[in-house]
Amino acid sequence: SQLAEENSWALSVHEGESVTVNCSYKTSITALQWYRQKSGKGPAQLILIRSNERDNRNGRLRATLDTSSQSSSLSITATRCEDTAVYFCATERTGGYKVVFGSGTRLLVSP
Amino acid sequence: NAGVIQTPRHKVTGKGQEATLWCEPISGHSAVFWYRQTIVQGLEFLTYFRNQAPIDDSGMPKERFSAQMPNQSHSTLKIQSTQPQDSAVYLCASSLAGGSSYEQYFGPGTRLTVL
């Protein structure tokens, strides 16, 4: 079973709406990262949130981390069509080096 | 900074042929990772180099897959006797160090198609 896994296979919203992607993980971690992958490109990091942080923001993006429930969320406000992509959470066991990616949530933002 | 460079972007091989994929990591990054991405399996870890030394190849299918990093400016992934099930996008990533505290910078990937 995956070390980290997004809770939804796919989500669909209209432009301007907000959306949240959720992720659960299975071990103590140093940090958790959120990546976005657009069609034909490699993943690109959006936000990194460390285990001693509860909240981190980057423009329209907000990531939260709840170590007690071993879960994280990525929220996107005022979505745009160009936010259409696959969103991954990724992490590793504390002290490890191998980052494991979830299966991804496919987000479609339509006009 | 051109980012992580991968060549070729697309490669088509016949069953049984060899395929060599190239990766040029970002200068100054000590960690280099190779991943394989398919619709069914998602993003799978293949192998990891630190300061050019192979650290973990636990994700590499045995016998036909091999990876090298002869110098700090490039790494290669070689697949011998390619099979249709090897068809995938192969992604290379580099970072300042391993672990989730460091951002991984991915290349655009090489799409391998085995006929």
Side-chain angles (χ1 to χ4, degrees):
Chain A
S1 59
Q2 288 284 68
L3 181 62
E5 195 62 44
E6 300 81 6
N7 296 354
S8 301
W9 172 257
L11 295 170
S12 181
V13 297
H14 291 289
E15 211 171 16
E17 295 178 340
S18 296
V19 66
T20 297
V21 182
N22 294 300
C23 167
S24 56
Y25 59 91
K26 296 184 175 182
T27 185
S28 60
I29 61 173
T30 303
L32 185 139
Q33 302 178 34
W34 283 96
Y35 284 80
R36 174 171 64 190
Q37 185 176 25
K38 295 192 174 184
S39 181
K41 299 187 181 297
Q45 190 195 67
L46 298 174
I47 288 184
L48 182 152
I49 185 163
R50 302 184 189 282
S51 59
N52 62 351
E53 298 176 318
R54 293 295 170 260
D55 189 294
N56 203 351
R57 296 171 189 263
N58 180 5
R60 296 181 296 113
L61 308 176
R62 179 191 178 211
T64 65
L65 183 67
D66 184 342
T67 53
S68 62
S69 63
Q70 296 189 321
S71 64
S72 176
S73 69
L74 174 71
S75 297
I76 308 173
T77 57
T79 54
R80 304 167 182 166
C81 290
E82 53 262 39
D83 293 327
T84 293
V86 181
Y87 290 79
F88 298 94
C89 61
T91 190
E92 103 292 355
R93 292 179 179 84
T94 301
Y97 55 80
K98 186 184 339 184
V99 174
V100 176
F101 288 75
S103 302
T105 292
R106 286 128 194 89
L107 174 64
L108 173 64
V109 182
S110 53
Chain B
N1 189 334
V4 175
I5 298 172
Q6 289 190 251
T7 55
R9 292 294 310 276
H10 302 273
K11 186 169 184 66
V12 179
T13 65
K15 183 178 175 181
Q17 294 183 328
E18 181 178 287
T20 300
L21 313 180
W22 292 72
C23 170
E24 181 178 330
I26 292 173
S27 177
H29 283 188
S30 65
V32 174
F33 299 83
W34 283 94
Y35 296 88
R36 178 170 63 182
Q37 187 173 36
T38 61
I39 297 294
V40 174
Q41 297 295 333
L43 201 58
E44 298 177 279
F45 167 85
L46 291 177
T47 190
Y48 164 56
F49 293 87
R50 183 174 62 216
N51 293 322
Q52 300 171 231
I55 302 299
D56 184 343
D57 66 354
S58 59
M60 297 273 275
K62 302 307 179 188
E63 297 179 358
R64 298 188 297 107
F65 283 61
S66 62
Q68 294 183 324
M69 192 162 184
N71 56 60
Q72 64 185 8
S73 64
H74 88 272
S75 175
T76 58
L77 179 66
K78 182 180 292 186
I79 308 172
Q80 296 179 312
S81 185
T82 54
Q83 303 298 309
Q85 60 265 32
D86 299 331
S87 296
V89 176
Y90 290 83
L91 290 159
C92 176
S94 71
S95 65
L96 288 171
S100 61
S101 295
Y102 298 92
E103 177 178 357
Q104 292 195 23
Y105 294 81
F106 283 81
T110 295
R111 180 174 296 277
L112 175 66
T113 302
V114 182
L115 302 176

